[in-house]
Amino acid sequence: MYNLIGQALFISVVVSFTLSGVALLVSRRSLTRSVFLAGFYADVLDFFYLPLRQIFVKFSDTRILDKWMCSLKNRAHKSAFARTKRRIILAPHCMRSLDCPAYSTQTGIQCKSCGKCVFTRLKKDAEKYGYKVFIVTGSSFVKNILKMEAADGVLLIACDYEINKVMRALKDRKVVTYGVTMENDGCFGTEVDYQKVLKVFEDFKISV
């Protein structure tokens, strides 16, 4: 009996290591090309995220893991995101100007379009493409926003860690996520390559 339990545990450990290893290789490849079964391997990495994160903490950099996972999930969500009709953008407050005059509410920072940072342009362009912009100071705002907004698509602008975190949190909700990674991390003075944002707008134009 104990031998059978031991063998079963050994097999499950081997299968787990093999699956997560293959999923990591696929996620890395997704940075440069399309991959097969992206959604399946994204689910595998979500399931093993915490132990994998500990391994990356010890031997590498957790930002690499999040970067690979975000890339893989973008590949997996691409077709579904293209079919969404009611979209919002969740962007971090760290991209705004240090002397931003806007105030905060339960759905985030209320941009005044003062022209001091990228959000003035982002709001204007987003409206043309059918998105509503929310500037959040933390992931806790996401639930409030989705309670108030009947969105089926969420475009995330953030660092890879935050994008992956929100993608995992919204996995079981009826929304499709897609991410644009910022150029740098930090609590202030962060930037996004605006051409990448415009490319997403163009690639996923909502058909009327």
Side-chain angles (χ1 to χ4, degrees), residues 167-185:
M167 283 181 166
R168 290 169 61 228
L170 299 182
K171 184 177 178 180
D172 296 325
R173 290 175 173 262
K174 294 181 179 180
V175 294
V176 184
T177 52
Y178 197 86
V180 177
T181 304
M182 296 187 305
E183 296 297 291
N184 57 315
D185 300 343

Side-chain angles (χ1 to χ4, degrees), residues 91 134-135 184:
F134 291 90
I135 307 167
N184 57 315

Side-chain angles (χ1 to χ4, degrees), residues 33-129:
R33 67 191 76 176
S34 297
V35 293
F36 187 57
L37 295 176
F40 169 74
Y41 288 116
D43 287 341
V44 170
L45 292 182
D46 276 341
F47 185 81
F48 292 109
Y49 180 71
L50 292 180
L52 285 172
R53 186 173 175 82
Q54 291 304 311
I55 292 173
F56 273 78
V57 165
K58 189 170 183 179
F59 297 105
S60 185
D61 186 341
T62 57
R63 289 176 296 184
I64 294 174
L65 174 61
D66 289 312
K67 182 180 181 68
W68 293 357
M69 289 181 68
C70 289
S71 174
L72 184 62
K73 289 175 183 180
N74 275 352
R75 298 281 186 185
H77 300 173
K78 187 174 181 179
S79 295
F81 190 78
R83 295 192 296 270
T84 60
K85 301 295 183 181
R86 303 179 305 278
R87 301 175 187 169
I88 62 173
I89 294 175
L90 298 180
H93 75 108
C94 55
M95 292 200 306
R96 62 180 175 146
S97 170
L98 287 176
D99 58 347
C100 173
Y103 56 89
S104 180
T105 69
Q106 63 178 338
T107 57
I109 305 297
Q110 301 303 303
C111 178
K112 291 181 175 293
S113 299
C114 66
K116 294 181 178 180
C117 68
V118 69
F119 283 114
T120 300
R121 182 182 180 189
L122 179 61
K123 277 184 61 183
K124 184 177 179 180
D125 288 339
E127 288 174 2
K128 290 191 300 184
Y129 287 91

